[in-house]
Amino acid sequence: MTETVRETLEVDVLFVGAGPANLAGAYRLGRLVAEHNQRGESPKLEPMIAMIEKSAEVGQHVLSGAVLDPRALDELIPDFRAGDGPFHQLVTGDTVLLLTRRGKLKLPIVPPPLQNHGKYVVSLGDVVRWLAPQVSDMGVQIFPGFPGVAMLYDGTRVVGVRTGDKGIDSKGQRKGNFEPGIDLRAKVTVVGEGARGSLCKELFARLGLHSSVQPQLYAIGVKELWEVPAGRIRAGSVVHTLGYPLKSEEFGGAFLYAMSETQLSLGLVIGLDYKDPFLDPQERLQQLKGHPFFKTILAGGKLLHYGAATLPEGGYYSLPKLWADGVLVVGDSAAFLNGMRLKGIHLGMKSGMLAAETIYEALCKRDFSAATLAGYERRFQQSWAKQELWKARNFHQAFAGGLYAGLVHAGLQLLTGGRGLRDPWRVPAGHEHMRTVQEYYGRPYARAAGGAGAAPDKLKCDGTLAFDKLTDVYHSDTSHEENQPCHLVVRDLDLCHDRCTREYGNPCQHFCPASVYEWLPQEGGGQTFQINFSNCVHCKTCDIMDPYQIIDWTTPEGGGGPRYVHM
Ligand code: SF4
């Protein structure tokens, strides 16, 4: 193969990922530099700042509930309410319900972490679409359609990121439109690629950034956006539910946020530390909509959009080291999320802003050494973000014994500032909780549908309220160039066909919310494994929950993936 000649672009600061953390960071840095120069301080600062993003347009891969706590935004853009931002809907009321299969019990008091007075029901995608042009106006060059595929190192110092090649076919050969990726070299690289990003996976392992902390815990959120007839629910209503369709052994709950009187965000969050190898998050969301409470609200409505994402829920004790030589980690990449409040946007933004303040100091001192970048960790430790995360430091872990024990522990944590009965509360990584079919169902796995040990029959979907996965994926507007290498790298297919089938019944076909992994029966017995990578909504669940940890989610060719709207 011809040797690839790559262009190298030198910048001072490189932000990887155009999510809320990095956009807030770039905005804060731009503002600090502008104010510094307006004050006439020396040296005059003229940094080259770049941001790369894997989606074709900023915001297309961004998905969240979301109820926004404006604390960080108030610091970043104090007059944001006066502008034309997507902050139209204040929360008008909070409700927490405990659901049984047919019934519901309203909690008489909304627990303080779920009280949302003064917060906004938003589409996070719309928020980043609003913020990105303001960041560009500050001189930050944003390059959508450029995924980072590898960190660049000089020894143990991070010196930038390589972007992905374009125009490689499914066999790894160059096509006529081949364009090599670029080496973006930077004095400091800020990685904010979301939960379980492929760059951070390699970076953390190589530099040992999470070697001395607790394993990260994740959850998957599957979400639908609905249009419903007026009069069903008050605009700004925020409803959280516990119980059905989750079993009491499973961590999670549902949310319904009324973005207006006729547009609803509806989703289910499930801890990726469940035991049942046949658990299917997308199917559970369809079951949820069959509950009388949701059914009444959604009847006559229309599904507008679908998506899925993972959330880092391990909390304070799972935070990796936030910096290394040449690099800072922000947002969901570093697990800035408060599981107790089901909120992370404000924490992610704050992390980006603290990173920006550290970089500003480095620019002023002309010193990008590790010692200067370590100031990011110190700033975090002195911030309200640390205080907030500290109060929720054992939250998700406390549900290891199931919902009811978890609620008691969470109550005790609230009373003791996060301490509870165990501090720190250690639990194994999420995938280690999954049981084999034999262990969970008491029978060996059987491939034939309907037999003992087979996966339960899938829910029958009516196409108006409940949808099969492919219909939902259609509503995520996902597409990838078909003639490219598969970006889901399964390192040992023999293990999938043999041991995983016997032990777990191939759980990838259930936990993937986009029907990427398909096991098709063959004539004469046996089954074939097919990876429909073009369906992938980039949620990373497979990378996290595969019981053998042999799936690597990698970045596909730039621009591929979901095209979320108002998500
Ligand atoms: Fe998510 Fe993996 Fe399925 Fe893609 S293949 S949608 S990352 S679970």
Side-chain angles (χ1 to χ4, degrees):
M1 194 159 176
T2 332
E3 198 188 332
T4 306
V5 180
R6 292 178 193 283
E7 201 184 319
T8 297
L9 189 63
E10 303 269 354
V11 297
D12 294 293
V13 186
L14 174 64
F15 289 93
V16 182
N22 264 348
L23 285 167
Y27 185 96
R28 178 92 180 114
L29 182 58
R31 180 56 71 85
L32 286 168
V33 167
E35 289 170 356
H36 173 99
N37 291 338
Q38 275 162 15
R39 289 192 299 269
E41 285 184 30
S42 178
K44 187 174 184 201
L45 301 178
E46 291 173 312
M48 277 273 293
I49 309 173
M51 180 179 288
I52 56 170
E53 162 57 38
K54 67 183 166 68
S55 59
E57 288 173 21
V58 171
Q60 287 184 335
H61 290 182
V62 175
L63 176 148
S64 183
V67 173
L68 174 76
D69 179 339
R71 187 167 186 180
L73 196 52
D74 269 323
E75 292 177 6
L76 186 71
I77 308 177
D79 62 348
F80 80 91
R81 291 174 183 80
D84 58 353
F87 310 99
H88 319 294
Q89 190 57 64
L90 273 165
V91 173
T92 54
D94 285 298
T95 306
V96 181
L97 302 173
L98 182 61
L99 301 184
T100 60
R101 182 176 282 272
R102 309 278 317 154
K104 66 178 193 310
L105 180 72
K106 182 176 170 187
L107 265 57
I109 298 169
V110 176
L114 294 179
Q115 291 174 7
N116 289 302
H117 179 74
K119 318 288 186 294
Y120 292 88
V121 180
V122 297
S123 147
L124 183 58
D126 290 352
V127 173
V128 302
R129 283 184 183 93
W130 164 78
L131 194 48
Q134 301 180 66
V135 169
S136 294
D137 288 347
M138 292 185 157
V140 177
Q141 299 283 328
I142 303 182
F143 300 100
F146 284 84
V149 296
M151 303 300 298
L152 300 174
Y153 298 92
D154 180 358
T156 54
R157 180 173 174 84
V158 172
V159 293
V161 161
R162 175 167 293 171
T163 67
D165 295 341
K166 289 185 179 157
I168 301 281
D169 73 14
S170 59
K171 297 194 169 57
Q173 302 298 315
R174 292 177 184 181
K175 297 189 280 188
N177 62 347
F178 174 74
E179 275 178 45
I182 300 168
D183 282 355
L184 284 158
R185 296 179 72 89
K187 296 189 176 81
V188 59
T189 301
V190 188
V191 188
E193 54 174 355
R196 188 73 161 215
S198 48
L199 293 176
C200 278
K201 191 172 168 182
E202 185 271 337
L203 174 76
F204 290 4
R206 178 169 173 143
L207 300 184
L209 299 191
H210 58 10
S211 54
S212 58
V213 299
Q214 290 199 37
Q216 188 54 259
L217 296 177
Y218 295 90
I220 177 173
V222 274
K223 170 178 163 177
E224 291 179 352
L225 186 69
W226 276 72
E227 189 175 274
V228 296
R232 295 285 168 78
I233 190 163
R234 190 172 163 211
S237 295
V238 166
V239 182
H240 289 108
T241 76
L242 296 165
Y244 184 83
L246 300 183
K247 300 172 192 164
S248 64
E249 71 190 29
E250 292 158 358
F251 175 89
F255 63 86
L256 188 153
Y257 303 151
M259 300 169 77
S260 69
E261 205 191 349
T262 55
Q263 203 169 83
L264 306 178
S265 222
L266 162 80
L268 184 64
V269 173
I270 303 178
L272 289 175
D273 48 3
Y274 59 78
K275 297 186 178 111
D276 182 355
F278 298 145
L279 191 153
D280 183 331
Q282 186 272 350
E283 185 181 44
R284 294 288 184 92
L285 176 62
Q286 308 315 306
Q287 287 171 346
L288 174 81
K289 291 182 290 174
H291 187 281
F293 172 74
F294 288 97
K295 201 170 172 178
T296 310
I297 294 171
L298 298 175
K302 188 177 148 200
L303 170 67
L304 300 177
H305 225 66
Y306 167 79
T310 43
L311 305 69
E313 289 228 332
Y316 182 82
Y317 290 126
S318 299
L319 290 178
K321 188 175 160 212
L322 301 175
W323 60 277
D325 206 1
V327 69
L328 305 176
V329 188
V330 299
D332 278 1
S333 290
F336 280 100
L337 186 135
N338 181 341
M340 198 181 250
R341 297 180 68 203
L342 201 58
K343 281 187 185 50
I345 302 167
H346 64 301
L347 293 165
M349 291 179 92
K350 182 68 178 173
S351 72
M353 292 156 67
L354 296 170
E357 288 157 24
T358 308
I359 296 167
Y360 169 65
E361 183 193 339
L363 286 166
C364 292
K365 287 172 29 184
R366 294 190 171 137
D367 171 11
F368 286 84
S369 65
T372 302
L373 296 186
Y376 171 42
E377 186 107 29
R378 196 179 57 248
R379 285 178 171 87
F380 163 64
Q381 290 295 338
Q382 292 164 354
S383 72
W384 55 257
K386 146 77 194 293
Q387 286 173 12
E388 180 177 332
L389 284 171
W390 183 246
K391 287 184 196 149
R393 61 193 181 275
N394 294 304
F395 177 70
H396 188 128
Q397 290 81 353
F399 285 79
L403 173 66
Y404 298 107
L407 288 175
V408 173
H409 286 298
L412 286 170
Q413 289 172 9
L414 267 181
L415 294 173
T416 56
R419 191 189 182 288
L421 290 183
R422 277 194 231 168
D423 185 27
W425 192 316
R426 296 178 199 284
V427 294
H431 67 276
E432 293 179 36
H433 294 251
M434 189 185 281
R435 297 285 166 263
T436 63
V437 177
Q438 175 73 53
E439 287 165 346
Y440 195 82
Y441 288 94
R443 298 165 194 275
Y445 176 59
R447 226 177 269 150
D457 290 340
K458 291 285 179 196
L459 182 79
K460 297 221 174 352
C461 297
D462 61 5
T464 54
L465 186 66
F467 301 94
D468 60 32
K469 269 189 204 175
L470 286 181
T471 306
D472 257 345
V473 174
Y474 171 77
H475 283 89
S476 68
D477 202 8
T478 295
S479 74
H480 293 83
E481 161 62 49
E482 296 279 346
N483 187 14
Q484 66 171 301
C486 176
H487 67 279
L488 287 323
V489 180
V490 182
R491 278 180 265 123
D492 186 349
L493 283 168
D494 290 342
L495 193 151
C496 300
H497 281 277
D498 179 24
R499 200 170 146 204
C500 186
T501 304
R502 273 188 290 108
E503 293 186 338
Y504 293 96
N506 306 120
C508 56
Q509 62 190 317
H510 306 294
F511 59 55
C512 171
S515 269
V516 169
Y517 301 100
E518 251 191 310
W519 289 85
L520 302 166
Q522 274 180 323
E523 266 182 48
Q527 54 181 0
T528 51
F529 182 35
Q530 187 169 296
I531 302 180
N532 308 310
F533 74 84
S534 54
N535 287 358
C536 177
V537 296
H538 298 196
C539 72
K540 332 277 175 61
T541 303
C542 51
D543 195 304
I544 295 163
M545 203 54 195
D546 164 40
Y548 305 101
Q549 296 290 283
I550 57 165
I551 300 178
D552 290 319
W553 183 92
T554 66
T555 44
E557 187 171 296
R563 283 180 292 224
Y564 293 143
V565 179
H566 298 317
M567 292 289 270

